[in-house]
Amino acid sequence: MVEENLRIHTFTEIPSPEIFSSQIEPKNVPAVIKGCIKNWKAFSKWNPSDGGLIYLQECVGSVAVEAMLSRSAPVFYGDIRSHERVPLSFSTFIRYCLGLLKNRDGRQDDFLESQKHSLAVSDTEQTDLLFGEVPQQFYLAQVPILNFEKKEHMQLECLGEDIQTPVPLETKSLSSVNLWMNSMKARSSTHYDPHHNLLCIVSGCKEVTLWPPSATPYLYPLPLYGEASNHSSVTLEEPDLSVYPRAAFLNGFSQKVVLHAGDALFIPEGWFHQVDSEVLTIAVNFWWRSMTISGMLDHMDAYYLRRILKRLTDKEMNKMLHSPSSSMDKTMTCTTSQPNNAYRVDHGHQGISTNCGNRSSKDEVYSKVTLQDLEPCASQSLNELISLVHDRLNPSKLTESTNNSSAGENDETNKRKEDSCSTNDDPVANLILTLHPLRIHSVFLAMANNFPRTLEALVLHALTPVGSEILTRKFEEMDQLISGEDQNQFYQIFYGVFDDQSAAMDVLLNGKELFARQAFENVLDQYLGNNPDGPKQQTK
């Protein structure tokens, strides 16, 4: 389901520049503005059903424009391997549109033949190109009317007299204004733009499907280093789920809007969209830089990139822990809002080794915890945990000291510790995951006092990266439920079982970093599309 704060709003009254800039644009959510451009001269003068094509031909004449020629019409993909830009006189394209308008009864073959004979001699070179097997391949896409950054690229500047800046954008510093015109039905490939966009329908009808930037992993964008990095590699009509399995969830993110003549659609930067255009649809769009991008200084790019990647990595870590395969119970409330090192293995306990020999009277109470003190459910969890540790490790490892533990690990254990960043097939991590934080408190106190070598083996040998992440998160939750004094006493006893307490901390830290590294690599794969060993990207 689409999140409520991402739902597209429709405005029946045209918002003022102040309202648009303060209430609509900052939300970065698409908005439909009904009747936004009905006051344009173009709204009546360009109407194909009322002589608009003749008017356009007279205004522009034989000016050469770049037309998009698609090898996959009526779908126009962003990758240049699936289309090319070809020079075409505007008058030739208009004459073709005029013929289609007059021949909607389906006698297209007769029309094509008649048009070949009626073309001027100067158009002969374009005849075969225009009237080939698929004449509807042509699409005037993003032909500049005004360009405030490259003023020499304004092929249709003469049409600027028929349009005006829409009221909501009157205070904006625009980048460009472009014409979009298709003769036959056309569909753009799914893509996003790096600028804010106001798409205005002069004539015809467009259906726009939109996905928020958060849906990026499910759309499999093409690699950043590629020519069409802002386009999705998924064919949405028939996605190959064996290659793009996440695409199965796309419908839950998508929203559709239908735009008629006079309507406008605000498409914020980063929103993926696919546009379906009806026959003889004419549109004008306005691009401008968002405040976020225009206010971002170059020397801050590296910092913001790290912050964004960190934020995405934290979200991915939570997704990995909350996967359907996890047997997490409802009591677990994980969070990554704190820094990675905000848990008890490395703050407030730097001097554990010197304090362990000088315990208070309350420490003595903690040290006398017996198995009989445990509640039945905690006792069962303790027995299961001990059994899992014994099953995973060779019995001889349980009596080895910490000083010899590194040399004693076999290759299989090392590989398991490095590779397992999922709760799948990890019973130790899954068991810890299901324990309430206060049960963790009692189970580990009992284990430290009655089975210290098993606790040592659990931490040093049996915890995978995901196990380290889960255990330290459980400690964070436990710290929220017990007093500071009890926290200190718990960690003194917990780390007191290790001959080398820094080695235990290193194991937990290293495991957490391996888990975070896997999440980071997932982010690069999902959001940036640069996994060379993953599924091959489609080129069309």
Side-chain angles (χ1 to χ4, degrees):
M1 292 291 293
V2 177
E3 296 178 26
E4 192 61 34
N5 62 339
L6 296 180
R7 290 195 177 279
I8 299 173
H9 292 282
T10 298
F11 295 85
T12 55
E13 295 185 3
I14 301 175
S16 67
E18 294 74 23
I19 290 178
F20 182 82
S21 295
S22 63
Q23 300 180 24
I24 299 175
E25 182 182 10
K27 292 181 179 179
N28 283 307
V29 175
V32 176
I33 306 173
K34 291 289 186 181
C36 184
I37 61 163
K38 283 189 174 182
N39 63 330
W40 284 6
K41 295 178 182 178
F43 184 71
S44 58
K45 288 187 174 183
W46 297 6
N47 187 348
S49 299
D50 193 24
L53 296 178
I54 299 296
Y55 172 81
L56 288 170
Q57 188 177 41
E58 292 175 349
C59 285
V60 181
S62 59
V63 171
V65 295
E66 278 193 343
M68 184 181 286
L69 174 63
S70 174
R71 299 183 180 90
S72 53
V75 181
F76 289 79
Y77 290 95
D79 195 310
I80 59 175
R81 284 161 289 203
S82 299
H83 79 268
E84 59 182 304
R85 294 275 185 172
V86 297
L88 181 72
S89 72
F90 189 80
S91 59
T92 298
F93 180 77
I94 292 296
R95 282 202 303 276
Y96 174 62
C97 292
L98 281 167
L100 291 176
L101 190 62
K102 295 176 182 178
N103 291 269
R104 288 184 173 178
D105 57 0
R107 293 181 290 124
Q108 192 179 60
D109 291 341
D110 294 339
F111 159 69
L112 293 179
E113 191 61 32
S114 66
Q115 285 295 304
K116 288 185 181 181
H117 292 296
S118 65
L119 282 172
V121 175
S122 60
D123 292 325
T124 302
E125 293 181 359
Q126 296 180 354
T127 302
D128 293 337
L129 188 62
L130 180 59
F131 299 104
E133 295 180 359
V134 190
Q136 66 268 30
Q137 288 176 329
F138 286 102
Y139 184 18
L140 298 188
Q142 196 180 327
V143 182
I145 297 175
L146 297 172
N147 192 317
F148 300 95
E149 298 174 348
K150 298 179 181 178
K151 293 190 176 182
E152 67 276 11
H153 296 100
M154 296 191 299
Q155 298 156 299
L156 302 179
E157 186 175 7
C158 59
L159 296 180
E161 297 179 0
D162 294 339
I163 65 175
Q164 63 191 70
T165 302
V167 171
L169 306 187
E170 287 179 345
T171 60
K172 301 298 178 188
S173 297
L174 301 175
S175 299
S176 63
V177 182
N178 308 285
L179 176 75
W180 304 75
M181 185 173 179
N182 56 284
S183 53
M184 303 291 286
K185 286 187 176 182
R187 165 175 287 180
S188 72
S189 61
T190 304
H191 67 287
Y192 65 85
D193 297 315
H195 285 52
H196 282 337
N197 180 11
L198 189 71
L199 177 63
C200 305
I201 311 303
V202 179
S203 178
C205 177
K206 290 180 182 284
E207 181 182 76
V208 186
T209 308
L210 300 114
W211 297 263
S214 54
T216 298
Y218 305 91
L219 285 159
Y220 296 87
L222 290 164
L224 272 178
Y225 49 77
E227 182 269 338
S229 59
N230 62 322
H231 285 252
S232 169
S233 60
V234 181
T235 303
L236 296 179
E237 300 76 38
E238 296 180 358
D240 186 347
L241 299 182
S242 65
V243 180
Y244 306 109
R246 293 190 298 272
F249 303 99
L250 277 175
N251 288 340
F253 292 91
S254 67
Q255 300 180 74
K256 292 181 185 290
V257 296
V258 177
L259 306 173
H260 299 282
D263 296 341
L265 171 65
F266 168 51
I267 306 176
E269 63 173 347
W271 276 73
F272 280 87
H273 50 284
Q274 175 183 274
V275 183
D276 287 281
S277 303
E278 290 297 320
V279 173
L280 288 175
T281 295
I282 305 173
V284 173
N285 91 293
F286 296 77
W287 270 323
W288 73 99
R289 299 182 72 189
S290 71
M291 291 299 294
T292 301
I293 293 298
S294 59
M296 187 178 293
L297 302 175
D298 290 346
H299 71 275
M300 297 296 290
D301 287 350
Y303 166 75
Y304 284 125
L305 177 61
R306 288 180 63 86
R307 287 292 303 271
I308 291 170
L309 287 175
K310 177 64 169 62
R311 182 172 176 173
L312 292 175
T313 298
D314 287 347
K315 289 182 178 179
E316 178 63 19
M317 290 166 69
N318 277 338
K319 283 172 58 180
M320 291 166 66
L321 291 178
H322 288 73
S323 63
S325 60
S326 299
S327 57
M328 178 178 57
D329 67 9
K330 296 181 180 179
T331 62
M332 185 176 183
T333 54
C334 294
T335 177
T336 55
S337 59
Q338 302 181 36
N340 269 353
N341 62 348
Y343 56 87
R344 296 301 168 181
V345 298
D346 75 336
H347 72 271
H349 303 287
Q350 299 288 349
I352 288 177
S353 59
T354 58
N355 293 333
C356 286
N358 186 25
R359 292 179 177 173
S360 65
S361 58
K362 192 165 185 179
D363 290 327
E364 294 301 322
V365 175
Y366 270 89
S367 67
K368 295 177 182 177
V369 174
T370 65
L371 299 181
Q372 289 73 23
D373 296 325
L374 293 178
E375 296 179 354
C377 54
S379 179
Q380 179 181 350
S381 298
L382 173 63
N383 290 333
E384 290 178 5
L385 194 56
I386 292 173
S387 177
L388 289 173
V389 173
H390 279 256
D391 288 343
R392 175 166 289 188
L393 303 175
N394 293 328
S396 59
K397 289 186 180 292
L398 299 180
T399 58
E400 290 178 347
S401 67
T402 305
N403 293 333
N404 297 326
S405 62
S406 298
E409 288 187 345
N410 57 32
D411 293 338
E412 183 178 353
T413 301
N414 283 330
K415 187 176 188 304
R416 180 175 61 247
K417 288 170 70 66
E418 292 176 1
D419 293 347
S420 180
C421 289
S422 168
T423 54
N424 295 336
D425 302 321
D426 190 338
V428 172
N430 266 313
L431 177 58
I432 297 174
L433 190 63
T434 59
L435 296 179
H436 188 279
L438 292 181
R439 189 177 299 177
I440 287 276
H441 180 268
S442 58
V443 165
F444 277 91
L445 278 179
M447 183 177 282
N449 284 287
N450 298 279
F451 308 100
R453 296 284 68 82
T454 301
L455 176 58
E456 182 183 44
L458 166 65
V459 173
L460 297 181
H461 305 297
L463 279 184
T464 59
V466 68
S468 297
E469 179 68 24
I470 291 171
L471 179 59
T472 52
R473 289 191 182 208
K474 287 292 186 177
F475 283 168
E476 290 174 4
E477 294 177 26
M478 181 185 70
D479 291 347
Q480 302 300 315
L481 301 174
I482 62 178
S483 67
E485 183 182 358
D486 285 348
Q487 291 174 22
N488 290 331
Q489 291 163 344
F490 172 82
Y491 291 112
Q492 285 177 356
I493 295 173
F494 179 86
Y495 288 108
V497 305
F498 298 94
D499 296 333
D500 183 352
Q501 294 163 22
S502 63
M505 297 179 190
D506 287 343
V507 167
L508 291 173
L509 285 171
N510 291 339
K512 285 178 65 68
E513 289 179 357
L514 282 172
F515 182 77
R517 185 179 73 182
Q518 181 60 59
F520 177 76
E521 291 173 353
N522 290 352
V523 166
L524 293 181
D525 176 21
Q526 295 178 16
Y527 285 87
L528 306 184
N530 63 347
N531 182 7
D533 299 321
K536 299 298 181 183
Q537 304 283 9
Q538 294 179 345
T539 58
K540 65 179 183 177

